[in-house]
Amino acid sequence: MPDPHLTNLIERLKSDVLTPADLDLLREALRAGQIAIATGERAVSLGGSADGAVIVTGDHNRIIILQGHAATVARELTASPPNPPAVYPPNPFTPLSGRITDPTRIFGRQREVQQALDYLRAGSSVAFIGDSGVGKSSLLTLLKERAETELGRTPILLDMQKLHSEDDYYEALCEEAGIATVKGGRKLERALRGRRLLLLLDEIEKMTWDGFSHNLRAELRGLAEGECAPFKLVLVARSPLDRLFPDSELNTSPLAGICQQINVKPWNNATARTFIQQRLSGTPVHFSDGEIELLVRSSNGLPLRLMQSAFNLYRTKTSGDV
């Protein structure tokens, strides 16, 4: 009786919906003798074509004829990998989670950064809005690096995920600003008078928790509104601010009122492919066109997901398991 998991795997290959994980399973099935792949004259003798491929199950009970992209993937599975070097370079597809803190490792977001700088120079604050894993938080790294030279403002970056109450927030803010801890109000306004700060807040969704109030958001607006205000804000969120903070039925969120929204979209195919090729440059590792197509398609353009899948493929190739 045929293995149903293997049958489903081959069907996904035929339907051109294979994922990188499926590709690894096919390699394992090939190594284990569960399947054989015929190409060229051997494929023709089994009813296929010279430019296609044929899969024969290990028990010879099934012969599956492949064409097009599925045949290309199958042929690449049978190709002999080059002799591995004694030592491979470190895996270039990192980090696998969280905000990228090294500006030189951030790829393909020049347009969004320039748009944010233009808004900030014009006196507005900014909110980066986009799906989880699209790279919003890493944009804060780039703006932090350029805040003093291009905006004349000292950057303060707070990860709201690490702050669990307004007390935590004020303590972290004042510590980064180099002032004694002040719990908001006129005292905080006086302590910040004359300062030019760029306050970058990651994971702003945390302000929807019970430990944070409308008053804090209103105070943020007051400290960021106006030409002489000490703050300009850069916020990161998955939802637009007016939906994230529906502070009343009659009024929109005070933060939504002062922040220009910049939508951070997934990468298109060309950008994702260029990212993979750039990271592989300087290494002896090669990803085939079929492998890159699978990586790009399964990531849905999300840089974090693409990074994780490419990391796993690089690790597979450098471990000798291809």
Side-chain angles (χ1 to χ4, degrees):
M1 181 177 295
D3 182 342
H5 296 294
L6 183 58
T7 299
N8 290 336
L9 190 62
I10 294 172
E11 286 303 316
R12 289 198 293 276
L13 171 62
K14 289 174 61 180
S15 301
D16 204 17
V17 293
L18 215 58
T19 68
D22 290 336
L23 201 59
D24 289 338
L25 293 173
L26 274 176
R27 289 193 186 97
E28 182 58 35
L30 190 61
R31 282 195 297 268
Q34 294 176 286
I35 60 171
I37 297 175
T39 59
E41 293 182 1
R42 176 62 176 156
V44 173
S45 70
L46 293 170
S49 63
D51 59 351
V54 174
I55 289 181
V56 181
T57 57
D59 54 13
H60 292 82
N61 284 337
R62 293 189 66 203
I63 294 177
I64 302 96
I65 297 174
L66 304 175
Q67 296 291 341
H69 184 256
T72 300
V73 172
R75 288 196 300 272
E76 289 172 351
L77 288 172
T78 65
S80 299
N83 294 328
V87 179
Y88 280 102
N91 197 314
F93 296 100
T94 58
L96 298 180
S97 62
R99 179 173 59 87
I100 300 176
T101 57
D102 179 356
T104 65
R105 304 289 290 173
I106 299 173
F107 180 85
R109 291 300 185 191
Q110 293 81 4
R111 184 186 66 82
E112 290 89 346
V113 170
Q114 190 57 54
Q115 190 175 359
L117 289 170
D118 290 343
Y119 281 136
L120 291 164
R121 290 192 192 101
S124 180
S125 291
V126 168
F128 289 120
I129 307 299
D131 294 334
S132 179
V134 82
K136 305 180 300 298
S137 296
S138 297
L139 293 173
L140 299 183
T141 297
L142 294 175
L143 289 175
K144 180 181 179 182
E145 182 191 40
R146 299 168 69 171
E148 294 197 11
T149 58
E150 300 198 31
L151 299 173
R153 291 184 175 272
T154 301
I156 294 177
L157 197 160
L158 300 181
D159 183 354
M160 295 300 297
Q161 282 288 78
K162 299 176 181 178
L163 308 177
H164 306 296
S165 66
E166 291 188 8
D167 286 347
D168 285 351
Y169 163 78
Y170 284 119
E171 183 177 343
L173 172 65
C174 293
E175 180 181 352
E176 291 294 323
I179 61 176
T181 299
V182 182
K183 302 294 177 64
R186 294 286 297 168
K187 289 183 179 180
L188 179 61
E189 185 180 351
R190 284 196 298 270
L192 295 174
R193 189 170 294 158
R195 302 288 298 274
R196 286 177 55 81
L197 304 171
L198 184 67
L199 182 57
L200 306 117
L201 297 180
D202 198 5
E203 299 288 350
I204 196 70
E205 283 88 355
K206 191 65 175 290
M207 281 194 179
T208 62
W209 288 32
D210 291 340
F212 300 90
S213 68
H214 169 85
N215 290 337
L216 174 60
R217 298 190 287 277
E219 180 178 73
L220 269 176
R221 176 178 181 137
L223 291 171
E225 195 168 31
E227 186 176 346
C228 298
F231 286 155
K232 290 303 171 193
L233 306 176
V234 181
L235 312 179
V236 164
R238 289 183 289 277
S239 302
L241 298 183
D242 57 350
R243 293 211 304 264
L244 186 61
F245 303 117
D247 288 310
S248 76
E249 294 182 0
L250 299 177
N251 299 313
T252 60
S253 164
L255 295 180
I258 62 168
C259 292
Q260 297 294 325
Q261 178 171 315
I262 298 176
N263 296 319
V264 184
K265 298 179 181 180
W267 283 342
N268 58 32
N269 284 358
T271 300
R273 287 174 175 275
T274 302
F275 165 76
I276 293 171
Q277 291 160 355
Q278 184 193 74
R279 286 294 176 98
L280 288 176
S281 64
T283 79
V285 177
H286 172 73
F287 290 1
S288 70
D289 287 342
E291 289 168 334
I292 291 176
E293 174 67 24
L294 290 174
L295 290 172
V296 171
R297 188 188 311 161
S298 65
S299 73
N300 290 325
L302 295 176
L304 180 60
R305 192 180 299 174
L306 181 64
M307 184 89 78
Q308 292 168 343
S309 296
F311 176 92
N312 290 331
L313 181 56
Y314 186 94
R315 183 178 58 183
T316 297
K317 286 177 173 286
T318 55
S319 67
D321 292 337
V322 179

